[in-house]
Every structure is written in structure tokens, then in C-alpha cells.
Amino acid sequence: MSSPRTQISARELTEEIVPRLDLIEKLISTTLTSLIETTDSAEERERREDQKRRFELMLLSIRMNVASVTRRHASVIRAFQNGDRAGSSILQLDENEAIAMDNAKTLYEQVKAHTRA
């Protein structure tokens, strides 16, 4: 397993990671809720409820780390959003934040692959 990246650009965080998290959250919630509501099998319902809880926990962890990065680098992100491309928009990540960003990308790729199948 490769080490997570220790930096991310403000653009990547605000234009890729956060919008993708919103999409993942909606897809997981609607898909799993639908599967839970329509199954006749108690075993399948329990499996899907457990799956939904695990996804929600992973998303919560990712969101908490996105919030941490956003708080620590608020001035850089705000400058980027206001069009200041002259300064550095590279955000340093701590270990937990780096893992969370990698998890967000992996989860997005998994959800995207599943929706194409």
C-alpha cells in the first residue's frame, strides 16, 4: 500500500473532493435505503443496514477531516475561491487528513464503478 499524499491543492479540495463527497453521500443513502425498504429478506435487510452504517461512518470520518483541513487553511482556501491564483494554494495534510483524502478518492471510484455496472 502506498503512503497517502501529504498535500492537496485548494482547487482539488473545493472542486473535486467536497462535491464528490456530496454525490457519494446521496448515492449511498438513496441506493441502500431503497434496497433496505424493498427487500423481503430479514438477513439481506440487516446486511444492507450494516453496510449503510459502515459507509456513513466512513463518510463522517472523511467529512471531519475535510473540516479540519478547511479550518487550518481557511485563509488559503478563501483566497483561492476569491480568484487569488498568485499565491500558493497547496494545503499541508496531517496523517489522518491524508488518509481521509485517499479514502474519499477510493470511495468515489468504487461508487462510480458500481453505478456503471
Side-chain angles (χ1 to χ4, degrees):
M1 177 189 237
S2 64
S3 296
R5 294 180 6 206
T6 59
Q7 0 179 277
I8 190 170
S9 70
R11 186 203 61 76
E12 188 176 2
L13 180 68
T14 60
E15 296 177 5
E16 291 179 24
I17 300 291
V18 171
R20 287 178 178 177
L21 282 177
D22 295 341
L23 177 63
I24 290 167
E25 203 163 28
K26 287 176 188 165
L27 287 172
I28 288 172
S29 178
T30 56
T31 301
L32 289 175
T33 299
S34 175
L35 290 170
I36 291 166
E37 290 173 353
T38 59
T39 188
D40 293 329
S41 166
E43 184 178 306
E44 179 67 10
R45 183 176 303 107
E46 181 60 34
R47 187 176 78 78
R48 293 300 185 175
E49 287 171 348
D50 182 58
Q51 186 179 33
K52 186 176 179 195
R53 280 189 295 272
R54 283 184 282 119
F55 277 130
E56 288 170 345
L57 185 58
M58 181 183 290
L59 284 167
L60 176 63
S61 172
I62 293 168
R63 291 254 186 221
M64 289 172 59
N65 280 284
V66 166
S68 173
V69 172
T70 303
R71 271 191 310 276
R72 289 189 313 106
H73 298 285
S75 61
V76 174
I77 293 169
R78 198 170 19 261
F80 171 79
Q81 291 172 330
N82 291 330
D84 179 9
R85 306 295 198 255
S88 174
S89 65
I90 300 299
L91 314 175
Q92 296 299 320
L93 305 175
D94 70 23
E95 183 179 357
N96 292 324
E97 294 164 348
I99 291 168
M101 296 309 128
D102 279 359
N103 287 345
K105 291 175 189 175
T106 300
L107 187 57
Y108 176 76
E109 292 303 321
Q110 290 173 346
V111 169
K112 190 168 81 172
H114 181 70
T115 58
R116 277 192 246 139

